[in-house]
Amino acid sequence: MNPLIIAHRGASGYLPEHTLPAKAMAYAMGADYLEQDVVASRDDQLVVLHDVYLDRVTDVARQYPERCRDDGRYYVRDFDLGEIRRLSVTERLDEHGRAVFPKRFPPHTGRFRIHTLVEELELVRGLNAATGRVAGVYPELKRPAWHRNQGVDMAPLLLETLSAHGYESAEDPVFVQCFDRAEIERLRETLGTPLKLVQLIGENDWNESDTDFDVLKTVRGLRDLAGVADGIGPWINQLYTLETIDGQPASTGLASAARDAGLLVHPYTLRADALPAGFKVHDELAGFLIESLGVDGVFTDFPDRLRRFIDTGTAGHG
Ligand code: CA
């Protein structure tokens, strides 16, 4: 079974992340799944955007200068969908206004817009119909506990939206992902969804959620997780150490421990232009993940590079 190519925010190595052009390009490059990060607007619309903020990828500060909170950030939750639609999307910028990935699409050029989850599901459905191929969707609930504090419970909205577009059973081509361990359990047990669930694994100092990732990564933590989730989405850096064995980075054992617990392993994020320490070229990292660790899928900013590696490489054994 070849590993799944999961287009991380679309073909975001080539076009501004989470724009419909980036998703269409990823689809055309042969991605198996397209990822949607999901956040909620003031009028409870689910929009596809990585941050709960608007300021790193749009011109919100220029169009609505007075609408930031005390921390200087512009929150999706403070804007209605109609306002969000008027924003111009740019390639991602850092806090100083410089491109995070300088060799990618030039910032502040082109005409790109934020879209809703519904619009992206319609794009995928349309492309599946037109091509006869089936690509899946891979929505992430972003900071669900924070959203609840802001007055919106996103999980039921997400499940309703997915159901309305035919994603209703464990066999359907959808994975729902979240960093929040409690929310994964709630999705399965309280909300009763049969959809495939993936627990993302971060580091505790990222302050992404209340989840204790150090506990989660233990054999016991993974075994408990397998009772409510289908897989893990670990950070690539959690899978290897800089010690080498026969010239290859050594595995931390997390991938095999997850597999032993019956969990799929979908690490993030393969970036040809920002490889983690210990890897010099894209295919070296792809080979390590796929051939040495035997992962079941990879989040990538460059779906074409991973497609080429899988189609021409030795992936698929083991
Ligand atoms: Ca994500």
Side-chain angles (χ1 to χ4, degrees), residues 199-310:
Q199 170 72 51
L200 298 170
I201 302 184
E203 294 289 310
N204 286 347
D205 62 10
W206 294 355
N207 298 318
E208 175 74 39
S209 75
D210 289 340
T211 301
D212 187 337
F213 295 112
D214 293 338
V215 170
L216 193 49
K217 284 188 286 185
T218 63
V219 169
R220 175 72 185 276
L222 293 168
R223 201 179 298 148
D224 288 347
L225 178 67
V228 290
D230 300 275
I232 61 166
W235 186 34
I236 284 174
N237 301 55
Q238 294 166 334
L239 299 178
Y240 72 97
T241 70
L242 287 172
E243 297 163 38
T244 55
I245 298 174
D246 298 333
Q248 267 222 336
S251 169
T252 57
L254 176 58
S256 56
R259 190 177 312 106
D260 289 348
L263 293 161
L264 299 166
V265 181
H266 293 173
Y268 63 91
T269 303
L270 183 46
R271 294 184 168 112
D273 58 352
L275 293 165
F279 297 94
K280 291 184 193 68
V281 294
H282 171 276
D283 284 6
E284 186 186 0
L285 178 54
F288 175 70
L289 294 173
I290 294 168
E291 292 163 3
S292 300
L293 297 185
V295 301
D296 305 284
V298 181
F299 287 90
T300 177
D301 285 3
F302 296 84
D304 58 332
R305 300 284 299 268
L306 192 54
R307 179 91 269 159
R308 199 183 319 144
F309 178 85
I310 289 171

Side-chain angles (χ1 to χ4, degrees), residues 8-9 18 35-38 49-50 138-142 177 179 200 268-269 299:
H8 181 251
R9 313 181 200 172
H18 282 320
E35 189 206 22
Q36 302 79 32
D37 291 314
V38 177
L49 208 59
H50 180 265
Y138 209 128
E140 178 186 348
L141 280 173
K142 301 300 288 194
Q177 47 168 338
F179 276 103
L200 298 170
Y268 63 91
T269 303
F299 287 90

